[in-house]
Amino acid sequence: MDSAKKIEILKDLLNENSDRESIYYTALEEMGDLKKDYYDYMTTEPISLDKELLRIPDADYELCAALLTAILREDCKCCGTLIRRINNGQVSMLLNKMIELLIKM
């Protein structure tokens, strides 16, 4: 999928502001960016998403996709974490970073 289409999908996610993880999973799968090996991108063990998300300012696109996947996996294990991360702005910061990186490609 080309960058322009990915940007469109990511902007739709930002505008929708949904807390349904299935929407994010579907978007990542459609873009070909769901990282089933997301843990390989992480630097903490056990994974501390709060620490990993501090890497967003310097992240490349692949790391951003892995972080978003990790957020979704976290929500599967600990219901309610996705909405918390949406409400505190972490998800929108991540989506905006992904858009920014795609524009530069």
Side-chain angles (χ1 to χ4, degrees):
M1 176 178 296
D2 68 13
S3 294
K5 181 63 179 163
K6 288 183 180 187
I7 290 169
E8 182 182 322
I9 291 169
L10 293 169
K11 285 182 176 180
D12 287 345
L13 285 175
L14 276 170
N15 291 333
E16 187 162 328
N17 199 26
S18 174
D19 65 348
R20 289 186 13 232
E21 70 180 61
S22 62
I23 290 173
Y24 293 90
Y25 269 117
T26 300
L28 283 174
E29 286 176 338
E30 183 179 339
M31 295 186 308
D33 293 330
L34 184 67
K35 301 292 183 194
K36 294 181 180 178
D37 61 345
Y38 67 91
Y39 42 82
D40 289 341
Y41 294 83
M42 304 297 132
T43 58
T44 56
E45 192 173 325
I47 294 172
S48 169
L49 265 179
D50 289 323
K51 289 181 182 175
E52 296 292 346
L53 290 169
L54 295 174
R55 300 170 59 200
I56 292 173
D58 298 319
D60 64 8
Y61 186 82
E62 296 299 312
L63 176 56
C64 289
L67 289 168
L68 185 54
T69 303
I71 287 171
L72 297 175
R73 295 297 303 142
E74 174 191 49
D75 193 65
C76 283
K77 296 174 186 171
C78 307
C79 290
T81 57
L82 177 60
I83 190 67
R84 180 176 57 83
R85 294 193 184 283
I86 289 170
N87 289 339
N88 71 17
Q90 290 173 318
V91 172
S92 62
M93 183 170 57
L94 187 53
L95 295 174
N96 280 315
K97 178 67 174 187
M98 292 172 81
I99 291 167
E100 173 190 321
L101 292 165
L102 286 168
I103 289 171
K104 292 179 182 178
M105 289 182 170

